[in-house]
């Protein structure tokens, strides 16, 4: 019995309960001439909730347990004694036998697995029946409980509403849970990593070349210095990208805000926003396909020997273009928030428009603009696809934009998409890098939001 | 007081006039810079789109050879009681369809030409016959894909040896680039002549469904709670701060979370839309919450007051009055959030949805990949055929995103109420 | 003409005090408006106004709310240009030149005709920088020493120097309301204008600050032509030598302040100053 059938069954039972409860409640209402505490629909929902929620909870739990019970039963059967004691072979054979038993595959590759098919089928049938029976029992129990409470003076609507509120609260808690989950998982793995490599070595070392295959849990601490990665992220995401994004973003915002006619603005502003909507994988491809070779040709023209086709400049330029709308949008909002009286005051003195903008509006809007730039930086250093496709894996500490270098995000991807196990140093190093990235972007975002808040208050 | 009249006010000297001219020139330059900045940014965007379009145009075409087959001379029979298409294909294979095609090709273009017919061509013929058995009779003509080598030669790249052959076959009318809508129906393959994006597209659709089913209810309910019911205490602040921060966390971090947590819970579903969808749902949920809160905030208090005054309970006020009015704004935000999730690759890279998947996923727990990931996987190939296909896939992705964003904008404009 | 009612009011006595200043010798009017109409889109806000502004006098515009005083004031330094739907017809001349002519440079115009707004609007800069702004952009100072002199001169003229001379680097927005308005006046003075337009400069201030500003206006008279829009008739009587009464976009009466308040020619003027309507 597959998961979806089970869910449909539960929902069907819930519906049955809903209808039954409603008709009974309507009957009550008719008998007591319209004087019951809650509307029939509320009684109906009450019954339905009591049927559906316990069974769903059971189903969730059962799904986990049943797998284990099935495997246990299969392992207890005589055919299982042939299996290797542990390892990938064993897992594979179990998986194959299971696949055949559930009808997902027509046959097995390993002959030893064939003997396991029958025990699997038996176990699966047994536990499926058990699961079904228990589900039905729980559903009936829930329904019965709800029915017993169903009386004319029963305030079903308060119960139902309280359940709804509970659901809303739980939904909101998901956000906290997610944050906690992120922090917990990152911290946990980072601590394990720092057990293998000293945090000082990690944060200050300048040599990065992890070897996923040979490192295991005894890595050479000199090979896990993350400084070249931090530098690469900084150079590409902050220096090069911002050199592109800040001037273009600011001047675009100023033009849209102060000079453009309203009709022009309605078209140009969304056009600029499209830049933010293009998927990063498309930017990455564009950088690798068109921009990087162009830069390489340009470097050759300048007489550079052996220029890289994975230059920092290629990734940085494209990233800068992607970031332009982030900068321009915040700058636009900030300049618009400056009170008109200030602009009038400057114009009334005979200042030209650009003098007013440069000397009065922009300084007044500066906190908001700075916050926008911080958010843009936060976005840039967290960017992955552009660097994975256009930058390189070589860790290098260089200020030459034509050279290849790697970034934090690139290394996270590189170390987590390989053959290494989840316990090796290189995998854990990726988590440590992720933790550092998370902290830095978190700090940037918090500061930026605080600046915006205080800035808004100053002008209200 | 008025005896202190100075002779000439500083604002009326010729020096002032001269400075004025300079100031106006500076004004013009500044304004031009601003316009230039915007136009340059948009020009880059247009350049990107045009590059993709030009490259991708070829991706919707396929180099094919016209192979005439005479089934009268080499008959095959289609089993009438075949269980499915696979059985028919197997049967035809046993009947030697492969050799028939090779023979027909040799007859038409000689051995050299026949050698350049794609090795999977017979299977394509078999599939077509399975759909329409009448094709297995009499004189038939099939347009079949060439090998990748010949396709490159035809395009002007690739090996120089095949170029004369390509030219000859073209002149004879046997070799052409045809519109290849099958690109949208096939799954991934190693040969660019045979690849399609349907596998990835279906994976994307399944993943989006999971994301939507998880992120939308949770997001809307959380938004309702925060705006309507949450008391002003530290817990609420904590929830708000969490959501605002989550909305700004780099997407790759969610991949790390998915790797650490979801795969720990469901280890066997590594490349499944289920896991991918759950990871993306965590990323999309804050976006929906923020959009939802703005939409709910925009509903005027007078409506709530009116409902409360009639004696509606708080839950009724929200679900009967506020939510329906806030729904367009919520939907707009949801669509925009989903569009962002559709284009995401980094988190899915980490949780392993980068497998080579040769057939479209059947369910939510099958191995799958998504469209942006497919683009990423193909981008490593330098073969010109793959470059075209990658660009074509990008075009498909951009079209979807355009549709989604267009829908969001349309909804926003249509339902924008002026209170 | 109803005279007795008017002559006995406190206004009248105020106006009498100004009488001595009203008969000073004047040259040509600094600014001259003839047949001025101002439109916002289709709506006519100002209709056929004729008025003279003299450097030697303070001219007050009075009238009930919404009658167009501020609109007309803003026409005098072309601040209406910032409103897209605004249109001005007729002639307004500064020293004989039509300020709406195509040859007139609006930047220079606004340096010559300064403005102080109803709500003080100092720039979010230091006190020094607020004053220095005008001279800097118009290039009126050759070096820092010149600039320092100009800043001090303006602040002294505005009566603010003693209060802020030790804290010129403090933010302009940190001052009290009255001080901020004097700062704005000092800012306007710093470019040595010929006319200063004041749009209800005291309406946001307390009585003590108001008194200080009125004192200041009296000191500035003669050096700069001052036009002040005011809601308060008492203020107009205290401060001005010429008064113009606006009503529903029309200039109903314009003349010596004492005459307007003791012996108005028009009945509408009479009704307004006796408080028949606000």
């Amino acid at each position: 019995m597959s998961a979806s059938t089970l869910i449909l069954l539960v929902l069907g039972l819930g519906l049955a309960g809903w209808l039954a409860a409603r008709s009974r409640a309507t009957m009550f209402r008719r008998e007591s001439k319209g004087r019951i505490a809650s509307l029939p629909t509320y009684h109906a929902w009450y019954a339905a909730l009591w049927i559906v929620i316990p069974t769903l909870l059971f189903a969730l739990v059962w799904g986990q347990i049943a797998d284990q019970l099935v495997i246990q039963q299969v392992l207890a059967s005589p055919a299982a004694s042939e299996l290797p004691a542990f390892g990938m072979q064993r897992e594979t054979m179990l998986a194959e036998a299971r696949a055949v038993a559930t009808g997902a595959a027509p046959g097995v590759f390993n002959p030893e697995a064939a003997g396991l098919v029958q025990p699997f089928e038996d176990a699966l049938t047994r536990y499926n029946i058990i699961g079904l029976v228990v589900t039905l029992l729980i559903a009936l129990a829930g329904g019965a409980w709800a029915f017993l409470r169903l009386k004319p003076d029963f305030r079903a609507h308060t119960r139902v509403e309280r359940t709804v509120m509970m659901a809303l609260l739980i939904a909101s808690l998901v956000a906290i849970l997610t944050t906690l989950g992120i922090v917990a998982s990152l911290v946990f793995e980072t601590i394990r990593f720092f057990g293998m490599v000293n945090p000082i070595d990690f944060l200050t070392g300048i040599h990065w070349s992890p070897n996923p295959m040979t490192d295991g849990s005894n890595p050479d601490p000199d090979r896990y210095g993350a400084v070249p990665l931090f530098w690469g992220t900084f150079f590409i995401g902050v220096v090069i990208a911002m050199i592109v994004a800040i001037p273009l973003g600011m001047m675009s915002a100023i033009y849209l805000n102060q000079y453009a006619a309203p009709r022009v603005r309605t078209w140009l502003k969304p056009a600029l926003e499209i830049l933010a909507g293009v998927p990063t994988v498309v930017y990455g491809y564009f950088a690798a396909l068109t921009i990087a070779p162009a830069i390489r040709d340009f470097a050759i023209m300048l007489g550079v020997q052996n220029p890289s086709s994975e230059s920092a400049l290629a990734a940085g330029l494209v990233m800068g273009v992607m970031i332009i709308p982030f900068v321009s949008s915040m700058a636009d909002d900030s300049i618009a928030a400056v009170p008109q009286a200030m602009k009038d005051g400057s114009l009334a003195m005979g200042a030209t428009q650009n003098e007013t903008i440069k000397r009065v509006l922009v300084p007044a809007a500066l906190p908001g603009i700075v916050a926008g730039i911080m958010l843009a930086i936060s976005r840039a250093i967290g960017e992955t696809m552009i660097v994975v496709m256009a930058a390189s894996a070589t860790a290098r500490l260089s200020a030459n934009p034509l050279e290849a270098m790697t970034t934090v995000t690139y290394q996270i991807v590189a170390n987590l998409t390989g053959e290494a196990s989840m316990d090796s140093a290189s995998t854990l190093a990726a988590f440590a890098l992720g933790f550092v990235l998370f902290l830095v972007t978190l700090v940037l975002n918090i500061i930026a939001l605080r600046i915006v808040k205080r800035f808004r208050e100053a002008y209200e | 007081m008025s005896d202190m009249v100075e002779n000439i006010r500083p604002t009326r000297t010729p020096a002032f006039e001269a400075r004025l001219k300079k100031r106006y020139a500076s004004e013009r330059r500044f304004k031009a810079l601003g316009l230039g900045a915007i136009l340059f940014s948009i020009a880059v965007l247009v350049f990107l789109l045009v590059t993709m379009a030009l490259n991708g145009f070829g991706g919707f075409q396929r180099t094919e050879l016209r192979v005439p087959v005479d089934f009268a001379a080499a008959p095959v029979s289609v089993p009438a009681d075949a269980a499915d298409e696979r059985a028919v294909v197997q049967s035809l294979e046993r009947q030697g369809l492969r050799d028939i095609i090779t023979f027909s090709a040799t007859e038409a273009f000689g051995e050299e030409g026949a050698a350049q017919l794609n090795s999977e061509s017979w299977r394509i013929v078999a599939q077509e016959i399975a759909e329409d058995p009448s094709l297995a009779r009499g004189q038939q003509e099939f347009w079949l894909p060439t090998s990748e080598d010949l396709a490159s030669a035809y395009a002007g790249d690739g090996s120089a040896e095949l170029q004369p052959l390509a030219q000859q076959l073209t002149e004879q009318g046997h070799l052409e680039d045809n519109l290849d809508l099958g690109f949208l129906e096939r799954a991934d393959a190693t040969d660019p002549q045979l690849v399609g994006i349907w596998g990835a597209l279906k994976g994307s659709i399944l993943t989006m469904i999971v994301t939507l089913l998880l992120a939308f209810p949770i997001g809307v309910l959380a938004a309702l709670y925060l705006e309507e019911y949450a008391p002003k205490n530290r817990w609420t602040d904590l929830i708000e701060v969490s959501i605002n921060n989550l909305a700004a966390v780099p997407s790759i971090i969610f991949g790390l979370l998915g790797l650490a947590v979801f795969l720990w819970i469901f280890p066997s579903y590594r490349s499944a839309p289920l896991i991918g969808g759950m990871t993306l749902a965590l990323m999309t949920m804050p976006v929906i919450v923020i959009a939802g809160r703005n939409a709910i905030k925009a509903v005027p208090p007078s409506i709530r007051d009116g409902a409360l005054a009639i004696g509606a309970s708080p839950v009724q006020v929200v679900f009967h009055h506020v939510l329906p009015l806030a729904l367009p704004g919520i939907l707009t935000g949801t669509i925009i959030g989903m569009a962002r999730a559709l284009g995401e690759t980094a988190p899915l890279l980490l949780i392993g949805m980068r497998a080579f998947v040769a057939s479209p996923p059947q369910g939510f727990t099958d191995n799958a990949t998504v469209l942006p990931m497919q683009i990423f996987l193909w981008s490593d190939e330098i073969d010109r055929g793959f470059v075209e296909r990658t660009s074509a896939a990008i075009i498909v992705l951009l079209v979807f995103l355009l549709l989604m964003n267009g829908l969001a904008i349309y909804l926003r404009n249509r339902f924008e109420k002026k209170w | 003409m109803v005279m007795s009612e008017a002559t006995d009011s406190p206004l009248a006595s105020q106006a009498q005090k100004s009488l001595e200043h009203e008969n000073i010798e004047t040259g040509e009017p600094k600014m001259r408006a003839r047949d001025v109409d101002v439109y916002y889109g289709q709506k006519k806000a100002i209709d056929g106004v004729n008025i003279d502004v003299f450097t030697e006098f303070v001219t007050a515009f009075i009238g009930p709310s919404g009658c167009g005083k501020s609109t007309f004031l803003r026409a005098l330094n072309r601040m209406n240009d910032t409103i897209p739907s605004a249109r001005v017809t007729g002639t307004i001349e500064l020293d004989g030149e039509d300020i709406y002519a195509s040859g007139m440079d609006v930047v220079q115009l606004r340096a010559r005709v300064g403005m102080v707004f109803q709500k003080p609007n100092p720039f979010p800069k230091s006190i020094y920088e607020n004053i220095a702004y005008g001279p800097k952009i118009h290039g009126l100072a050759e070096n820092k020493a010149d600039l320092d002199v100009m800043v001090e001169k303006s602040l002294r003229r505005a009566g603010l120097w003693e209060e802020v001379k030790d804290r010129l680097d403090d933010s302009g927005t940190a001052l009290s309301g009255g001080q901020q308005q004097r700062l704005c006046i000092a800012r306007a003075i710093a470019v040595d204008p010929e006319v200063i337009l004041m749009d209800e400069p005291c309406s946001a201030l307390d009585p003590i600050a108001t008194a200080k500003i009125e004192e200041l206006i009296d000191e500035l008279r003669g050096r700069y032509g001052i036009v002040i829009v005011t809601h308060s008739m008492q203020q107009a009587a205290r401060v001005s030598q010429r008064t113009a009464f606006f009503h529903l976009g029309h200039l109903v009466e314009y003349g010596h302040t004492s005459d307007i308040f003791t012996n108005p020619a028009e009945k509408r003027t009479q009704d307004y100053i006796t408080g028949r309507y606000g």
Side-chain angles (χ1 to χ4, degrees), chain A residues 124-367:
Chain A
L124 283 170
T125 326
R126 179 160 178 236
Y127 285 106
N128 277 344
I129 294 185
I130 295 184
L132 183 61
V133 167
V134 177
T135 307
L136 285 172
L137 281 177
I138 293 185
L140 282 172
W145 170 247
F147 254 71
L148 284 176
R149 307 282 297 269
L150 207 126
K151 291 191 180 26
D153 59 348
F154 179 56
R155 294 179 189 283
H157 66 280
T158 14
R159 302 296 170 123
V160 173
E161 301 212 336
R162 226 184 295 157
T163 318
V164 171
M165 292 281 275
M166 188 95 309
L168 293 188
L169 182 57
I170 291 178
S172 315
L173 290 179
V174 170
I176 297 192
L177 272 179
T178 313
T179 315
L180 281 179
I182 292 181
V183 174
S185 56
L186 289 179
V187 167
F188 185 59
E189 306 287 359
T190 307
I191 290 181
R192 282 173 68 195
F193 176 69
F194 285 150
M196 297 180 193
V197 173
N198 190 315
I200 311 285
D201 288 334
F202 177 67
L203 292 171
T204 59
I206 58 173
H207 192 52
W208 178 271
S209 55
N211 195 330
M213 291 293 98
T214 62
D215 276 344
S217 23
N218 237 346
D220 176 1
D222 285 335
R223 301 229 307 266
Y224 281 89
V227 169
L229 277 58
F230 298 147
W231 168 253
T233 301
F234 174 74
F235 191 52
I236 295 180
V238 182
V239 176
I240 301 181
M242 287 302 138
I243 287 181
V244 171
I246 293 182
L248 287 174
M250 291 268 326
M251 289 308 294
S252 301
I254 288 176
Y255 184 81
L256 280 178
N257 202 297
Q258 299 290 320
Y259 289 110
R263 287 200 61 203
V264 171
R265 191 185 145 97
T266 19
W267 284 108
L268 282 185
K269 195 160 177 359
L272 208 57
E273 301 289 322
I274 295 182
L275 277 172
V278 174
T280 51
V281 70
V282 176
Y283 274 119
Y285 191 58
F286 178 62
L289 188 70
T290 314
I291 303 290
I295 289 182
R296 187 156 180 275
D297 292 340
F298 178 66
I300 292 180
M301 220 170 62
L302 288 181
V304 175
Q305 305 280 44
N306 273 337
S308 167
S309 54
E310 294 175 319
S311 56
L313 194 58
L317 285 181
V318 173
M319 202 189 287
V321 170
M322 181 189 80
I323 299 278
I324 290 177
F326 288 85
V327 174
S328 87
S329 160
M330 275 295 262
D332 194 348
D333 286 345
S334 308
I335 295 180
V338 176
Q340 181 72 8
M342 211 152 280
K343 186 177 173 189
D344 278 351
S346 174
L347 285 177
M349 298 199 55
T352 60
Q353 201 159 359
N354 78 325
E355 286 162 357
T356 306
I357 295 173
K358 281 196 280 207
R359 294 172 181 255
V360 177
L361 289 184
V362 168
L366 206 57

Side-chain angles (χ1 to χ4, degrees), chain C residues 11 41 54 99 102 107 135 151 158 190 199 228-229 266 268 270:
Chain C
L11 277 178
F54 293 90
I99 67 175
S102 52
V107 164
V151 170
D199 190 352
I228 174 169
V229 166
E266 299 284 329
R268 273 181 294 174
Q270 166 79 341

Side-chain angles (χ1 to χ4, degrees), chain A residues 107-130:
Chain A
V108 294
F109 281 130
N110 283 313
E112 294 111 13
L116 292 168
V117 173
Q118 190 58 44
F120 254 113
E121 283 184 2
D122 293 338
L124 283 170
T125 326
R126 179 160 178 236
Y127 285 106
N128 277 344
I129 294 185
I130 295 184

Side-chain angles (χ1 to χ4, degrees), chain A residues 86-110:
Chain A
F86 49 78
M88 224 167 77
Q89 266 283 70
R90 172 181 158 114
E91 300 298 325
T92 321
M93 292 210 265
L94 283 172
E96 282 180 16
R98 192 211 178 96
V100 177
T102 52
V108 294
F109 281 130
N110 283 313

Side-chain angles (χ1 to χ4, degrees), chain C residues 62-127:
Chain C
I62 61 172
S65 307
C67 63
K69 320 189 285 288
S70 294
T71 308
F72 183 70
L73 192 76
R74 288 171 71 99
L76 293 177
N77 70 345
R78 290 183 63 174
M79 277 305 277
N80 280 331
D81 286 4
T82 62
I83 301 172
S85 61
R87 203 166 39 101
V88 174
T89 60
T91 30
I92 301 183
E93 291 177 350
L94 175 65
D95 281 344
E97 281 177 75
D98 183 355
I99 67 175
Y100 282 91
S102 52
M104 171 59 81
D105 188 291
V106 74
V107 164
Q108 189 178 28
L109 170 69
R110 292 187 188 143
R112 296 170 61 189
V113 179
M115 185 172 246
V116 174
F117 295 82
Q118 183 170 352
K119 190 160 174 295
N121 58 354
F123 300 134
K125 300 170 188 281
S126 70
I127 295 175

Side-chain angles (χ1 to χ4, degrees), chain B residues 50-266:
Chain B
V50 165
T51 311
M52 291 300 142
L54 288 179
N55 279 339
F57 181 64
F60 285 106
Q61 293 176 328
R62 186 159 71 171
T63 316
E64 295 179 335
L65 278 170
R66 180 180 24 203
V67 179
V69 180
D70 187 0
F71 280 110
V76 291
S77 63
V78 181
D81 58 345
D84 57 12
E85 182 186 286
R86 211 168 11 158
V88 175
V89 171
Q90 278 175 343
S91 154
L92 288 169
E93 188 180 5
R94 279 194 297 269
Q95 293 180 51
L97 184 63
R98 202 193 285 251
D99 294 325
I100 296 176
I101 301 294
T102 317
F103 176 71
S104 308
T106 320
E107 287 281 291
F109 339 111
E111 268 200 37
E112 227 195 318
Q116 293 306 322
L117 193 63
N118 197 298
S119 50
E120 289 294 306
S121 305
W122 71 270
R123 195 187 295 273
I124 295 175
V125 175
Q127 282 163 349
E128 287 190 28
I129 292 179
E131 272 180 46
D132 180 9
S134 69
L135 284 173
R137 286 190 282 282
Q139 309 269 31
Q140 296 290 348
E141 209 173 67
F142 295 100
W143 279 102
L144 298 173
T146 67
S147 68
E148 176 55 21
D149 293 331
L150 188 63
S152 306
Y154 177 74
D157 298 339
S159 68
E161 302 137 13
L162 286 174
Q163 297 212 359
L165 176 65
Q167 202 167 355
Q168 180 195 8
L169 288 170
T170 318
E171 280 162 13
Q172 292 169 349
H174 293 307
L175 184 62
E176 243 176 45
D177 263 350
N178 290 332
L179 185 62
D180 180 24
L181 287 178
F183 177 64
L184 299 170
E185 292 169 349
R186 298 188 297 264
D188 200 3
T190 44
D191 183 342
Q193 288 279 82
L194 300 174
V195 312
I197 53 169
W198 173 240
L201 202 51
K202 189 167 177 199
S204 273
I205 293 176
L206 291 176
T207 310
M208 287 295 115
I209 291 179
V210 174
T211 307
L212 189 64
L213 286 179
L214 288 176
F216 185 73
I218 296 182
V220 173
L221 293 179
L224 280 174
Y225 178 74
L226 284 173
E227 281 301 308
E228 299 286 323
Y229 301 116
K232 288 251 173 283
N233 59 21
R234 241 181 327 136
W235 284 113
T236 311
D237 282 341
L238 194 59
I239 298 178
E240 278 192 14
V241 168
S242 295
I243 290 184
N244 285 331
N245 282 330
L246 278 181
V249 165
S251 59
I252 193 173
I253 305 278
F254 288 99
L256 287 173
L257 177 65
L259 189 61
V261 174
F262 292 141
L263 286 181
W264 173 65
I265 302 182
F266 300 105

